[in-house]
Amino acid sequence: MTRARPQTLIALLLVIAALGCSAGGPTPEERAAVETAVADYLGALAKSYSSLNLSHLEGHASPVEIRNVRNLLQELANTGDRVEATLIGIEFTGLDVFRGVNASVALVEVWDIVRFDALTGREKGRTDGSVQSTLIQLRLIEGDWQVIGRHIVDRETGSLEEEGASG
């Protein structure tokens, strides 16, 4: 497990406090809409990583969140890598809606990730079953829930197979 940054811990504490202090929680309709928006966003995120095309995020994420993903993709490109990301599953561990227009979601995501050399296309490594605890913030914009921020709180990698790695 990796250590979370202080800002992430503060955000997690605020979400936990908000989840605990919420009166009645979200309606079933709000919960379904937010869960669908999160699942759609994560699917679009996987497509964006695998294709290096941010257009998949349009309608699912705010311009600021799209910029954040662009920065992550640029960091990946700077290392000469490209990834294929496959979302294996998600588990919602907390969800709350505030004033009908803001939502916070805590979840566990499981990903399979294959890393390739961007120039040759040769597989460089594989991580099966990478488990990430994340916090996702959403805002209702023109009737649609959009992700405005995604923060990885903790990460536990599954099996990592690197080419040339000795056992």
Side-chain angles (χ1 to χ4, degrees):
M1 295 280 193
T2 60
R3 292 189 162 238
R5 296 179 299 208
Q7 319 79 297
T8 305
L9 290 175
I10 291 169
L12 176 61
L13 291 173
L14 290 173
V15 169
I16 290 170
L19 291 173
C21 296
S22 177
T27 66
E29 294 80 15
E30 287 174 324
R31 176 176 287 280
V34 170
E35 287 181 355
T36 297
V38 167
D40 290 349
Y41 167 79
L42 292 173
L45 182 64
K47 288 179 185 175
S48 292
Y49 267 98
S50 297
S51 68
L52 301 176
N53 183 346
L54 294 169
S55 68
H56 299 288
L57 293 173
E58 292 174 11
H60 301 289
S62 70
V64 171
E65 178 61 9
I66 292 173
R67 186 188 71 226
N68 292 339
V69 174
R70 178 182 298 116
N71 292 343
L72 291 171
L73 290 175
Q74 184 61 48
E75 288 176 23
L76 188 64
N78 289 343
T79 66
D81 291 343
R82 161 182 96 68
V83 298
E84 278 188 19
T86 304
L87 182 64
I88 301 303
I90 56 176
E91 177 186 345
F92 291 85
T93 59
L95 187 151
D96 209 350
V97 175
F98 310 96
R99 295 185 295 280
V101 295
N102 296 300
S104 291
V105 178
L107 63 150
V108 175
E109 305 169 9
V110 181
W111 294 86
D112 284 348
I113 300 168
V114 182
R115 194 176 70 225
F116 296 94
D117 182 289
L119 294 176
T120 67
R122 183 180 59 80
E123 185 176 318
K124 294 172 71 175
R126 172 181 300 269
T127 304
D128 293 327
S130 176
V131 178
Q132 300 177 356
S133 297
T134 59
L135 294 174
I136 296 180
Q137 292 84 40
L138 300 97
R139 181 150 184 102
L140 192 61
I141 300 172
E142 296 179 8
D144 293 319
W145 287 103
Q146 289 190 8
V147 171
I148 60 172
R150 176 175 174 264
H151 309 281
I152 298 172
V153 177
D154 204 1
R155 182 178 296 158
E156 178 182 319
T157 57
S159 62
L160 175 64
E161 299 172 19
E162 297 273 348
E163 183 175 296
S166 58

